[in-house]
Every structure is written in C-alpha cells, then in structure tokens.
Amino acid sequence: MFIEVKVRVNGEEKWADFRKLFDYMINEYSKVKYDGKKVDPYPDRVNKFYDNIPDTLLDMWKKAYPNVDIKGECEKSRVWLLSNTNKAKKDFKGFTNRWLGKACQNGGSIPVVMEHKVEKRIQEHKRYVQQATENPATAEEKQEILSEILANLSKKKRVNK
C-alpha cells in the first residue's frame, strides 16, 4: 500500500511518500535513537520477558509473596498483557510486581488445606463439650453467673438511655 501526504516545505506544497516522511520524523524528532535497530513487536517483548525472568527475581517474589503461586500468577499477568494490548505496559517487572501484590492481598493462589483446620475445630468443640458435661457448674455458681449477666444488662440499658 502506498500512502501520500501533502506537506508544505518552505511555503511550497508537495506530495510526499508517507513512509519516508514517517522515517524522517522518527529520526529527526525522536528522543530514542534506534540506529538501525528494530523494536520487537509488543507480544514478542512480553513473551521474551516472561520466558527469561531471572531466578533471583523469582526468589525475591517468593519471599515477598509467600502465599502466591508465582509462576501461575506470572502466566496470568502475561496473558492479561497479551490480551489487553490497548493497555500496553512498558515496565513488565513493575507490572508483575503489582500483580503479585494484588494476588497476595486477595488471599493468594496457593490453596490452604482446610481439612486440618476444620478437624481441629471439631476436636476442640468435643473437648469443650466433654469438659462441660464432666464438670457442670453447681446451682450456686449458675445463680451467680446469671446475676452478673443481669447486672451488666441493666447497666447497658441505663447507659443507652
């Protein structure tokens, strides 16, 4: 495809090849000097970063975010970057660090075994019930506890009025 644009050079209007004009503008006004180097397309840069994450960085992330599956979350962030190219990022390391921080705040992605916690609570409850049945309070202790509760309730009613 050939595109021409109308340009004004020294007051004289001319038609110019857009590709040549674009190359001239990039070389003349860009702060970045490419010197013949081509910038990798965005998906290539994203994949190159995530395929070559240094082990030291992975270790730091594992220490900083202990309940997060680092490799799994890195893959999720890679997929997000590749599927949301309209929200392209430049700093992949910083983006991934923020991604992992949010994953950690949301409970992480490493499953916590709940069976042990539930079993522990059941055992504690059984011990409590057993103690309550073995050492029941005497009638005097029950009356004393009830009178304390009633006294506290009447104090709260007076304060709330």
Side-chain angles (χ1 to χ4, degrees), residues 49-141:
F49 172 77
Y50 284 102
D51 290 338
N52 300 312
I53 297 176
D55 290 335
T56 55
L57 185 59
L58 287 172
D59 291 339
M60 285 192 313
W61 282 339
K62 285 177 185 175
K63 287 178 186 173
Y65 310 111
N67 63 331
V68 175
D69 175 21
I70 301 298
K71 291 186 179 182
E73 290 295 328
C74 284
E75 286 304 312
K76 287 180 187 178
S77 63
R78 176 200 308 231
V79 169
W80 189 94
L81 287 169
L82 292 174
S83 61
N84 291 289
T85 54
N86 59 333
K87 298 176 184 177
K89 308 294 181 197
K90 291 180 184 177
D91 181 15
F92 301 133
K93 189 188 304 183
F95 173 78
T96 307
N97 190 47
R98 289 186 296 278
W99 182 283
L100 294 170
K102 287 178 185 174
C104 187
Q105 287 177 349
N106 293 334
S109 55
I110 295 177
V112 178
V113 179
M114 295 300 290
E115 295 171 3
H116 301 298
K117 290 184 177 185
V118 172
E119 288 174 9
K120 185 177 177 184
R121 297 287 288 189
I122 291 171
Q123 289 173 355
E124 287 175 4
H125 181 70
K126 284 181 180 177
R127 275 183 285 193
Y128 174 77
V129 170
Q130 184 179 4
Q131 280 182 338
T133 55
E134 288 176 1
N135 302 325
T138 63
E140 297 165 354
E141 292 172 332

